[in-house]
Amino acid sequence: MLAETICSAVSAAGLGIAAVTAYRRRFMAAARITAYALVPVGLVMTGVVEWLTGIVFNPTVWIGFGLLGLAWLILATTRAVERRGPGGAGRPAKKAKAGPSPEAVAPAASKPSLGAPAPAPAPAPADDFSDIEAILKKHGI
């Protein structure tokens, strides 16, 4: 009963603020405020507020939430411990690889891709600025 009264008072206050806003000729804002002000009364009329107050003030519900939290904590802890362990739950430990395995290379790869990388082509001569000079002369620079 108290929650319904509070919701009604909040809605009445919101509608009053909407009326003042509409008086100031801010009709879009007044329409939004009116919409928000009608939500608490709508929740009371549909029974949502009564259902929520039944959940909030029921100790059995809080014990249930506590048990759900405990179950989640246990599951999270066991997963963290399983990930940290060397082998996990019955899984063999991972072997450290010394280098790339032949399985990592595509089956149709050519010989050079299996060995050392090919040397990079020689860079162009640094003195060849003829293209740049032509562009600059074209623009009168």
Side-chain angles (χ1 to χ4, degrees):
M1 184 71 170
L2 179 64
E4 288 85 357
T5 305
I6 292 172
C7 287
S8 298
V10 167
S11 289
L15 290 174
I17 292 170
V20 170
T21 305
Y23 179 76
R24 293 181 181 171
R25 300 212 179 264
R26 297 181 62 208
F27 297 112
M28 291 298 287
R32 281 191 205 103
I33 293 170
T34 302
Y36 283 122
L38 293 176
V39 169
V41 171
L43 291 174
V44 168
M45 290 180 155
T46 57
V48 172
V49 173
E50 184 179 338
W51 177 73
L52 282 175
T53 55
I55 287 176
V56 169
F57 296 118
N58 191 351
T60 307
V61 173
W62 286 105
I63 292 171
F65 280 129
L67 289 176
L68 286 174
L70 179 65
W72 178 84
L73 183 67
I74 292 170
L75 286 172
T77 304
T78 56
R79 283 191 160 198
V81 168
E82 184 178 57
R83 287 183 185 153
R84 283 190 173 205
R91 285 184 265 149
K94 293 182 181 179
K95 297 177 184 176
K97 293 186 179 181
S101 66
E103 296 90 27
V105 179
S110 62
K111 273 272 195 210
S113 67
L114 295 175
D127 296 337
D128 189 22
F129 292 111
S130 60
D131 295 340
I132 297 171
E133 288 177 7
I135 293 171
L136 293 174
K137 284 180 184 178
K138 180 181 175 184
H139 292 288
I141 299 175

